[in-house]
Amino acid sequence: MELFWILLFSSFYPHASGQGVYAQANAQIVHSGAACNVKDDNISERIYTIKEGDTLVLQCIVKGHPRPQVRWTKTAGSASDKFQETSIYNETLRIEGIQRVQGGRYYCKADNGVGVAAIKSIRVDVQYLDIPVLTVHQTISDVRGSYYQEKTVFLRCTVNSNPPARFIWKRGNMLIEQSKDNGVDIYEPLYTQGETKVLKLKNLRPKDFADYTCQVSVRNVCSIEDKSVTFRLTNATSPPIIRLSVNDTVVVDPGQDVLLTCEVTAGFPLPTLRWSPLPLSAQVRGPTLNLRAVTPTDAGFYNCTAYNNVGNQARKNVNLVVRTMSNLTFQITPDSNKDSETIQMGRDLKLSCHVDATPQDKVNYTWYKNGAPVFNSDSLILLRSDPDMAPGTSSLEIVDMKFRDLATYSCVANFPGSRVPELRVDVNISQNSVSPPVLALPPGGQVVNVREGGNIDLVCLVVEGKPRPPILWSRMEKDLLMSSGATTMETLDGRLMLRNVSRDMMGAYRCQTAPYNGLNIKRREAQVQLNVQYPPILDPGDPDVRSRNYQMVTLRCTVIRSFPTRLIDIRWFRNGEIIRMPMPDTKEKPELKFKLDPTNNGSYECRVTNSAGTSTCAFNVSAQPYNAEFYFDTPNPVRIQKGNNYSYNLQWTQRDPEATDRIIGYWINVRKNKQNVLSKQIDLKGKEPEKGVLLSHTISDLRIPLSYEVRLAPITTYSTGEYASRIIQYSEPYTYPRPSDHVCGFEDQRICGFSQDRSDVFDWTRQNHLSQNPKRSANTGPDTDRSGTKEGYYMYIEASRPRTEGDKARLLSPLFNVTSVRGPKGSGRVPYCVAFYYHMKGKHIGSLNVLLRVRSIASVDSVAWSKSGHQGPDWRRAFFDISPSGPFQIVFEGIRGPSFEGDIAIDDVSITIGKCKQDTVSSAVLIGGSRSLPLARWLTFGLSCFLLLLYR
């Protein structure tokens, strides 16, 4: 099924001269092809309803001049990320298989640069009904005995739906009614997600052990069928209980296979087991989860869930830890109490060792001195976890250092009993092997220049110090990141390599010694300034320059920014050849002035150079006229000709006609299948085009029903402009309907040419019995159309929220032309009979007015008929005579009363020539629906037609 909304944009925005036809968009929404028509009274805008899975088509039909550009966007609801991140630049937006998350407010924006862009929104409401979920719960009780005997049971039924669902409970095949069974209670709990109804079975009875069915319904809205779920309640019904075959935490080596078993120990009906998450390498066989050759990426929590819709789900979690070990580092800390930065005899020294591992607390550190294990003594103290260092750091403290303590110390990290390889680091402690580091920048390395897009190394060297620590690079500005996206980058040799340098990488960089793999002392640092050189960034303004021949033209090329800022060369070119001229002042804005003539039209370039490179401003300078702008809103452009031919009234405006030489005519080409059908010159006969004023030309002898490509180009004394192209299509020409032919039962979605008034507050709605809102107000509005059939349509106004007292909705008939009809002899005006049925039931009914709108220089409305207040529960007939002085429309105006019980409806509208008679309404031919007229009405209709022919 496909669903259509049509957004119409139209109105005129006159040029300052008062003669223009530039059109600024205004918006009106109409619709057709609705799959289902359910309203939400709490939403202030009209809602387009569609069944989930159907195809949605939103169409934005625009009018305006120049032709507006259309863009679709969306807010509200949770539409697909792709649609929210991008705009759709088509008049038609099509969504195949729409999902509930795609409901929300869709915006169509039409913009043609004239006035303010027109924006209209429409809300899409996606209708759906999921399969309900039924769960069973019990009260907590100390009563002994079988599980459910002498206990209260709650059957909870939950469903997700739109609109809200209606619930029906059944025991077996029998409907459960709370008023007829004292042992049950049906209610809606508070604070529940989704829609929920609870069936409470109080003090379980033998007959309560049965099959229970929860049936949900949205009353066939959008043809969505009812759904149900059944649960069998027995005295063995019980919630699930599970246990795991392993501990809550499992630690393994990489490459091992892991088996996790989740056993069901209780529960009826038999619970269903589910493991989550499931890596790609995982296999589930029954209750067992098999993880083959695990890697660190498989680590994490695995959840086993058992459920049988009785009580709460049973859950057990297993934390899988995969051992890893990497990045073993060391630190040498001189006596911190003495603020020392070197090793000195008689003072303390600390050696620290840290490895990044999982699990960190299971790492075992072993210290060696010259290859022999180190044990705690008065002079050597081992710290398994040093509180002064990062967690998981082991330290060896050397107390009151002696010459015997000068040695090579080794730190070995491993997992006992694991296959993960151990890591080892050696530290040589001697008077010559440990000294503070000294940083230095190479000559010229304090300020580094590089061209944008090039490569550069920032160098920061450790020229002294043992052992030499790594160098950490960062940006001086705290909020700026390194090119890798991290806050710091480590380099072992002090060289930071930057590739494809961009201007956002310009700035100050800090290099400093790392606090590891060396002395743990005050960090040394230096600073390097990186300058990124790039060519000038230029702004040519308007690159398309049009002018009359033999007038002065000025071209300006503005330098927005550049680095270096000093310009070294400015040169102008025409059609690729340099223009010989004195060297411009590089401190002034680049500018070129010259007199335009037919010989110097063409492309101009201004090339501006600094030491980083050259940039170009490009201009197209021409006396060629701008292209024509087709007018797409021509009323009735098609006329039928003899010989199965038609003519087309082509209209256009000339863009900025005074910018170039005088336009004397147009070349027009009409093509079919890229072959010329017509090619000729349109002579303006001395009349110059004016800005915003329409020009017209009738193209004749086009074959019905073919379409053609039309190309149009303006002509001046010196040149011809570029061709503008459009497609013209044959369509049935619209003529004003003859009133005697116009009878409407609103059975067709086009509602017989009626339209909504754009100046009112809200709209009339087309509806029948099958599309009524199931939650509508029961004491107002008709149940069916005037004929009493469920399929028959009518038009009505909805008085529910957000409508307020006095809000107006107007429905306009087509425009009727009276010039083709003669009045009775001796009469200057033709009489017409307007007849219709109305329905005004409800204690809050406002008013129904029927207006006669006569079109002349200005439209004039006059009240021809009016009713107010409650008029009973039945459809009533009304008719009256009018004698309009010119083309006219009939306007049905519904006015909302003081509250929501005030729906007003109309049906079977007829407008016929001649004064009304008592049986006028019977003469209306009811079209577009399934009406069944009695024989007497058909006879009356035939007699009326006969009298009408005699009258003519």
Side-chain angles (χ1 to χ4, degrees):
M1 181 176 295
E2 294 187 357
L3 200 56
F4 294 88
W5 273 90
I6 301 175
L7 288 79
L8 297 179
F9 292 84
S10 64
S11 76
F12 292 103
Y13 185 83
H15 184 253
S17 66
Q19 301 174 339
V21 292
Y22 288 120
Q24 173 190 353
N26 194 2
Q28 179 188 10
I29 297 179
V30 299
H31 68 89
S32 63
C36 45
N37 186 16
V38 179
K39 302 181 304 302
D40 188 337
D41 297 337
N42 296 320
I43 303 298
S44 60
E45 58 189 319
R46 65 181 73 178
I47 300 177
Y48 193 72
T49 55
I50 181 173
K51 180 180 177 181
E52 187 173 44
D54 287 350
T55 298
L56 171 70
V57 178
L58 301 180
Q59 188 174 6
C60 188
I61 298 179
V62 296
K63 291 187 177 181
H65 187 69
R67 188 69 167 173
Q69 297 293 318
V70 174
R71 183 180 68 177
W72 284 98
T73 55
K74 179 183 180 295
T75 61
S78 303
S80 65
D81 293 338
K82 289 184 179 180
F83 186 78
Q84 287 187 324
E85 292 175 358
T86 59
S87 299
I88 307 300
Y89 293 91
N90 289 317
E91 293 187 5
T92 300
L93 171 65
R94 184 183 183 91
I95 302 177
E96 302 278 355
I98 190 169
Q99 300 300 306
R100 65 192 66 177
V101 295
Q102 294 174 297
R105 188 176 294 109
Y106 288 79
Y107 291 87
C108 174
K109 179 179 180 181
D111 190 8
N112 62 357
V114 180
V116 179
I119 301 176
K120 194 64 179 179
S121 68
I122 205 156
R123 190 171 183 86
V124 175
D125 190 21
V126 181
Q127 312 279 288
Y128 57 90
L129 176 64
D130 291 343
I131 297 175
V133 176
L134 197 157
T135 58
V136 180
H137 303 267
Q138 66 165 344
T139 56
I140 300 175
S141 172
D142 293 332
V143 178
R144 299 179 180 179
S146 68
Y147 187 79
Y148 274 112
Q149 291 176 353
E150 299 183 4
K151 293 184 179 180
T152 300
V153 175
F154 301 87
L155 284 81
R156 180 188 297 260
C157 186
T158 302
V159 70
N160 293 317
S161 69
N162 184 32
R166 180 180 62 183
F167 291 78
I168 298 174
W169 284 99
K170 294 179 181 180
R171 181 188 289 119
N173 294 323
M174 301 297 294
L175 182 67
I176 299 177
E177 299 181 71
Q178 183 174 339
S179 59
K180 297 181 180 180
D181 190 340
N182 295 329
V184 302
D185 189 11
I186 300 175
Y187 63 93
E188 183 174 333
L190 298 175
Y191 310 114
T192 55
Q193 185 175 5
E195 299 174 64
T196 303
K197 277 288 191 299
V198 173
L199 172 63
K200 179 180 179 182
L201 305 177
K202 298 177 286 188
N203 295 326
L204 224 60
R205 304 161 297 185
K207 73 173 185 178
D208 291 330
F209 294 108
D211 290 339
Y212 289 87
T213 299
C214 173
Q215 181 176 327
V216 292
S217 172
V218 288
R219 304 161 189 83
N220 204 38
V221 169
C222 293
S223 301
I224 298 176
E225 297 180 351
D226 296 355
K227 293 182 172 61
S228 63
V229 61
T230 300
F231 184 89
R232 172 165 292 180
L233 181 64
T234 71
N235 57 8
T237 300
S238 59
I241 301 176
I242 58 176
R243 67 183 176 191
L244 293 172
S245 62
V246 294
N247 296 327
D248 293 343
T249 300
V250 177
V251 182
V252 297
D253 290 337
Q256 276 188 250
D257 293 343
V258 177
L259 294 179
L260 305 177
T261 301
C262 186
E263 180 184 356
V264 176
T265 60
F268 186 83
L270 183 65
T272 300
L273 281 175
R274 180 179 66 238
W275 279 99
S276 64
L278 295 177
L280 294 177
S281 61
Q283 295 179 346
V284 178
R285 294 181 179 176
T288 301
L289 172 63
N290 186 5
L291 301 174
R292 303 293 302 274
V294 295
T295 64
T297 59
D298 295 322
F301 285 91
Y302 289 83
N303 175 265
C304 174
T305 304
Y307 56 94
N308 63 354
N309 292 339
V310 179
N312 296 323
Q313 296 180 350
R315 297 177 184 270
K316 293 286 185 179
N317 292 322
V318 178
N319 182 20
L320 177 63
V321 179
V322 180
R323 296 185 184 96
T324 61
M325 185 183 296
S326 63
N327 193 28
L328 181 62
T329 59
F330 69 91
Q331 288 179 317
I332 304 172
T333 307
D335 194 338
S336 59
N337 296 325
K338 306 296 183 180
D339 294 329
S340 176
E341 291 191 344
T342 60
I343 297 176
Q344 298 182 30
M345 294 300 165
R347 291 189 179 183
D348 296 344
L349 182 69
K350 181 193 289 187
L351 306 179
S352 301
C353 178
H354 177 85
V355 68
D356 296 330
T358 303
Q360 189 74 53
D361 59 343
K362 302 299 182 182
V363 176
N364 178 67
Y365 292 97
T366 305
W367 285 89
Y368 297 86
K369 179 181 178 181
N370 292 330
V374 175
F375 301 97
N376 276 314
S377 64
D378 293 339
S379 61
L380 298 177
I381 301 174
L382 291 173
L383 298 177
R384 171 69 182 80
S385 181
D386 191 338
D388 296 331
M389 296 292 179
T393 300
S394 176
S395 295
L396 173 62
E397 290 190 5
I398 305 175
V399 181
D400 191 15
M401 189 169 182
K402 303 292 190 300
F403 282 102
R404 67 174 182 268
D405 296 321
L406 300 178
T408 299
Y409 292 85
S410 302
C411 175
V412 177
N414 67 350
F415 287 115
S418 169
R419 293 179 296 178
V420 176
E422 66 180 19
L423 297 180
R424 178 190 185 102
V425 63
D426 297 326
V427 183
N428 185 25
I429 301 298
S430 67
Q431 290 181 319
N432 297 325
S433 64
V434 178
S435 61
V438 176
L439 282 184
L441 299 178
Q446 190 170 0
V447 178
V448 178
N449 297 316
V450 62
R451 290 193 180 185
E452 188 171 31
N455 303 327
I456 195 69
D457 289 352
L458 305 186
V459 181
C460 185
L461 300 176
V462 179
V463 294
E464 294 182 15
K466 295 180 182 180
R468 294 192 177 186
I471 299 299
L472 300 181
W473 288 89
S474 62
R475 302 290 294 268
M476 291 295 292
E477 295 186 39
K478 294 182 179 179
D479 297 334
L480 297 181
L481 301 177
M482 300 295 288
S483 58
S484 64
T487 55
T488 60
M489 291 180 64
E490 178 188 285
T491 61
L492 298 178
D493 59 357
R495 293 180 178 272
L496 177 64
M497 295 183 292
L498 301 177
R499 299 294 178 260
N500 192 22
V501 177
S502 60
R503 66 192 65 173
D504 58 351
M505 296 165 66
M506 181 187 297
Y509 287 76
R510 178 193 293 114
C511 63
Q512 57 185 185
T513 55
Y516 50 85
N517 291 349
L519 281 169
N520 183 21
I521 58 177
K522 182 180 178 180
R523 301 168 74 174
R524 278 39 173 179
E525 67 176 50
Q527 182 176 320
V528 178
Q529 175 67 33
L530 175 65
N531 293 328
V532 180
Q533 299 177 342
Y534 53 90
I537 299 176
L538 308 177
D539 179 16
D542 186 1
D544 186 9
V545 179
R546 306 290 175 107
S547 175
R548 295 175 181 264
N549 279 300
Y550 307 107
Q551 288 189 351
M552 293 300 297
V553 174
T554 301
L555 305 181
R556 294 185 178 89
C557 184
T558 303
V559 180
I560 299 176
R561 59 181 178 272
S562 69
F563 191 85
T565 57
R566 179 177 174 272
L567 304 180
I568 59 177
D569 190 27
I570 299 174
R571 298 191 183 189
W572 286 90
F573 294 79
R574 180 176 63 237
N575 297 328
E577 297 184 1
I578 191 170
I579 299 176
R580 303 297 177 183
M581 57 186 297
M583 175 64 184
D585 187 349
T586 56
K587 296 181 180 180
E588 299 293 331
K589 180 186 297 185
E591 186 177 270
L592 177 66
K593 293 183 179 180
F594 62 95
K595 181 180 288 187
L596 185 66
D597 61 52
T599 64
N600 59 12
N601 284 233
S603 61
Y604 285 73
E605 288 184 358
C606 176
R607 300 178 186 177
V608 183
T609 304
N610 65 0
S611 60
T614 302
S615 299
T616 301
C617 276
F619 302 88
N620 181 41
V621 182
S622 172
Q624 186 182 56
Y626 287 106
N627 59 294
E629 297 174 326
F630 287 111
Y631 185 64
F632 289 84
D633 302 331
T634 305
N636 309 323
V638 175
R639 292 289 185 271
I640 305 299
Q641 296 180 314
K642 295 181 180 180
N644 200 35
N645 290 343
Y646 72 96
S647 65
Y648 194 94
N649 182 24
L650 185 71
Q651 292 186 306
W652 69 94
T653 60
Q654 177 60 45
R655 177 187 170 191
D656 205 357
E658 298 180 356
T660 59
D661 295 308
R662 176 172 170 267
I663 296 174
I664 59 176
Y666 288 86
W667 281 110
I668 183 171
N669 291 331
V670 181
R671 304 199 300 181
K672 183 65 180 176
N673 297 328
K674 297 184 179 181
Q675 295 186 356
N676 284 344
V677 176
L678 171 68
S679 182
K680 71 172 186 177
Q681 181 177 341
I682 301 174
D683 189 358
L684 296 182
K685 299 179 181 179
K687 183 179 179 181
E688 292 189 41
E690 298 179 36
K691 185 176 181 179
V693 176
L694 280 176
L695 301 171
S696 300
H697 178 74
T698 301
I699 306 173
S700 301
D701 298 327
L702 303 174
R703 298 291 296 174
I704 297 175
L706 301 181
S707 299
Y708 296 85
E709 179 191 6
V710 177
R711 301 169 71 242
L712 192 68
I715 307 170
T716 69
T717 306
Y718 298 97
S719 62
T720 299
E722 295 181 357
Y723 278 94
S725 176
R726 67 161 294 188
I727 301 297
I728 60 173
Q729 296 177 327
Y730 173 77
S731 61
E732 291 291 342
Y734 175 80
T735 57
Y736 292 136
R738 295 174 59 86
S740 58
D741 299 330
H742 193 79
V743 182
C744 187
F746 304 110
E747 305 306 322
D748 190 277
Q749 295 167 353
R750 293 169 293 183
I751 57 175
C752 317
F754 278 75
S755 61
Q756 309 284 355
D757 192 344
R758 288 175 293 173
S759 62
D760 57 9
V761 178
F762 68 112
D763 288 344
W764 288 77
T765 301
R766 177 175 173 265
Q767 181 175 269
N768 66 4
H769 175 81
L770 300 177
S771 62
Q772 289 175 351
N773 188 342
K775 292 188 175 182
R776 68 187 182 91
S777 305
N779 299 321
T780 187
D783 188 54
T784 65
D785 75 335
R786 200 274 308 170
S787 67
T789 60
K790 293 182 179 181
E791 296 80 11
Y793 282 87
Y794 55 88
M795 301 294 291
Y796 86 107
I797 63 167
E798 174 60 71
S800 300
R801 288 178 297 176
R803 302 279 68 83
T804 59
E805 185 173 5
D807 284 358
K808 296 180 180 180
R810 296 189 187 96
L811 187 67
L812 310 180
S813 75
L815 184 65
F816 297 109
N817 192 356
V818 302
T819 58
S820 59
V821 182
R822 294 185 178 182
K825 189 174 182 180
S827 171
R829 295 184 181 179
V830 178
Y832 299 90
C833 175
V834 179
F836 61 96
Y837 280 83
Y838 63 92
H839 192 283
M840 301 172 68
K841 168 193 170 184
K843 61 183 179 181
H844 303 136
I845 290 291
S847 300
L848 174 62
N849 300 324
V850 184
L851 311 178
L852 172 63
R853 175 173 294 180
V854 179
R855 291 289 186 93
S856 56
I857 297 177
S859 298
V860 178
D861 292 351
S862 58
V863 178
W865 182 93
S866 181
K867 282 285 184 183
S868 299
H870 175 68
Q871 300 295 321
D874 301 323
W875 285 94
R876 293 178 174 269
R877 184 182 63 179
F879 53 91
F880 56 88
D881 295 327
I882 58 172
S883 296
S885 59
F888 69 94
Q889 289 175 287
I890 299 298
V891 182
F892 288 91
E893 180 184 67
I895 304 177
R896 201 258 198 186
S899 191
F900 64 91
E901 292 187 7
D903 294 357
I904 298 174
I906 60 172
D907 198 5
D908 293 355
V909 179
S910 65
I911 303 172
T912 55
I913 300 176
K915 292 186 176 182
C916 296
K917 299 178 178 58
Q918 196 64 26
D919 59 352
T920 298
V921 181
S922 298
S923 67
V925 180
L926 305 181
I927 61 173
S930 56
R931 310 289 204 201
S932 56
L933 294 178
L935 178 60
R937 293 185 62 187
W938 283 109
L939 293 175
T940 305
F941 166 68
L943 180 59
S944 298
C945 291
F946 176 71
L947 293 175
L948 183 60
L949 291 173
L950 290 178
Y951 174 78
R952 289 186 177 179

